[in-house]
Structures are given as C-alpha cells and as structure tokens.
Amino acid sequence: MTAATAGSTPSIGYDDTPVLPGQEWRVHDGRRPQPRVVTPPPAGEPLPPPSDAVVLFDGTDLSQWKGADGDAQWPLGGGYMEVAPGTGGIETREQFGDCQLHLEWAAPGEVKGDSQGRGNSGVFLLGKYEIQVLDGYDNPTYADGITAAIYGQYPPLVNACRKPGEWQTYDIFFVAPRFNGKKLESPAYVTVIHNGVLVHHHQALMGPTGHRTVSSYDIPHPPTGPLALQDHGDLVRYRNIWIRELTDYDAG
Ligand code: MG
C-alpha cells in the first residue's frame, strides 16, 4: 500500500500494482496526475486517405476484418461500424508492421458509466500494443488508462478529448520492436496525434499491453501482426481507417 498523498484519488486506479520501471508511479496508479486538458480543434469531415494508403474501412464493408469466429460481427450503418458488445474484438485479415495509421472513432453520445466503464475500446498495433480508446471527456480514470494512453505504461501528454458522441481522430506512427532470437534489439516506438494534438512523441514501449502488470518483451514475436480493435462492452463507433506501411523505414 502507498499513501494517497498526491494527484487524484486512489479509487479511480490501483495502489497494489507493481511500480513502473523508471517511473515513480504504479501501473494504473490512481494517484498519478491527470493529463492537462487541451481543447482540440472542432471535429471535421473524414480525412481522405493519401494515394498509397491501404483503406481498411471506408464505412461500407468489413471484408478486411475478421472476428473471433470468422467474419467480423460488428454492425454497419451511417458510414461507421459499431462495437457489438460480447462478440469480441475484430482484427484485420492482413498483417502490418511499421506504419502510419489514421482512424476515427466516437464514444457513445449517451453517457453511461464512469472511469474505464465509459466508452472503452482500443486500437491494438500488431494485435498487442494498445492505444486506449475511452470517453475521457470529464471522466477521471487512472492516468495510464485515459484516452490515447499507451495503456498501463504512459498517459498521453495532454487530454485532447472531444465530447462524447463527437468524432475523434487518431494518427498513429508505429515502429514495431525487433528481436534477434530471444533478445530484444529495439523496442516498439509510437507517436500519437489525438484530434490534431501530439500526445506521444516517439515513446518507447515497455512491451505488449497488459493489465495490472509491468510489461516486458519476454516473448519474441514477428515485426508484423494484425491491427485489432477492442470490444470492451461499450458502443464505440469507428470510421475511415487507413494505413500506410513504412516498409523502407529503418527502425534502428
Ligand atoms: Mg481499452
């Protein structure tokens, strides 16, 4: 147990989790200060993909995605797809590695629940590394689990959330980790722009996303994997998802 002496209340997080390496906070520490709120520019029209992007979702079909038992089951309509709670996450049929990813999402306009129970979903690079999707507008939760957090590792530099129901954008620049046999050669790096605001700048990741644990690169994996979207039981919507593979990028 640690004394609740700084930051926000422990009730929104944990005080019995391990301390994050190189940081003064525990995993999902309820006392860790909330990111400063920045009002982003207003929501706009979907950002059209550049010519060399792979369009993963244009609002009309889910042919590039699969669910736990075959085809993706999330419903389509109005140019977006919506999480079908209980059906599980979906992931791309194709594998991707180093990339530039653009996607747009919206938390439910009808606010229900709080903390991690409000508009929770997630974007998983390589199916392993989560950038949190959450309705973090006026919704305190543990800082490493707020919207656009590198879940369980790093809060966003600021909270740039739009209001629930409004479309939000993520532009994610991801470099996959590299292994030589069982040895880590270079960690994953991520840069994230949320609603036009920088929230992670070439941040090295500690390892694949976990819950209540300190992550590590114990298990080597290939430098590619599916892009996955999380079913966390909330009616989060997605539209306009495209990706540019950075095949010539030198991760070293
Ligand atoms: Mg999540």
Side-chain angles (χ1 to χ4, degrees):
M1 288 288 265
T2 53
T5 54
S8 46
T9 59
S11 62
I12 57 170
Y14 296 89
D15 63 5
D16 60 351
T17 46
V19 173
L20 288 161
Q23 302 187 29
E24 59 181 298
W25 308 106
R26 294 175 182 275
V27 177
H28 317 316
D29 199 324
R31 300 171 310 124
R32 190 168 189 166
Q34 298 286 304
R36 179 169 56 90
V37 171
V38 169
T39 303
E45 293 299 307
L47 183 69
S51 62
D52 64 350
V54 175
V55 177
L56 295 173
F57 180 63
D58 69 359
T60 62
D61 78 85
L62 282 167
S63 60
Q64 303 207 51
W65 300 80
K66 60 182 181 180
D69 303 312
D71 293 341
Q73 300 295 315
W74 293 7
L76 280 174
Y80 58 83
M81 58 172 147
E82 187 172 273
V83 175
T87 63
I90 64 171
E91 64 180 41
T92 54
R93 298 181 188 278
E94 204 175 326
Q95 313 263 308
F96 302 96
D98 301 346
C99 66
Q100 172 186 352
L101 171 68
H102 175 87
L103 64 82
E104 303 179 13
W105 60 273
E110 182 188 351
V111 173
K112 279 187 191 167
D114 58 15
S115 189
Q116 294 291 298
R118 183 184 298 179
N120 195 334
S121 181
V123 178
F124 282 76
L125 287 306
L126 271 58
K128 298 177 185 299
Y129 300 90
E130 184 183 15
I131 303 301
Q132 173 72 304
V133 169
L134 190 83
D135 176 9
Y137 187 90
D138 196 19
N139 178 28
T141 188
Y142 47 85
D144 69 26
I146 194 72
T147 318
I150 298 169
Y151 184 81
Q153 301 183 20
Y154 294 97
L157 297 171
V158 294
N159 178 337
C161 284
R162 294 191 176 122
K163 292 178 179 172
E166 295 185 2
W167 285 103
Q168 312 202 37
T169 61
Y170 280 171
D171 289 281
I172 298 174
F173 310 90
F174 183 75
V175 180
R178 300 297 200 271
F179 294 87
N180 184 357
K182 288 187 174 177
K183 186 173 176 295
L184 180 72
E185 277 195 334
S186 58
Y189 288 98
V190 73
T191 296
V192 180
I193 297 174
H194 179 200
N195 294 331
V197 180
L198 182 71
V199 292
H200 298 286
H201 187 198
H202 195 60
Q203 178 64 58
L205 275 62
M206 298 175 191
T209 300
H211 179 62
R212 302 193 58 169
T213 57
V214 171
S215 177
S216 70
Y217 292 99
D218 286 348
I219 303 171
H221 61 74
T224 60
L227 175 70
L229 301 175
Q230 184 184 44
D231 168 13
H232 202 283
D234 296 329
L235 300 173
V236 173
R237 295 172 178 176
Y238 289 92
R239 73 176 184 187
N240 190 30
I241 305 176
W242 50 259
I243 194 166
R244 295 181 62 248
E245 293 187 86
L246 303 177
T247 49
D248 296 329
Y249 190 89
D250 179 357

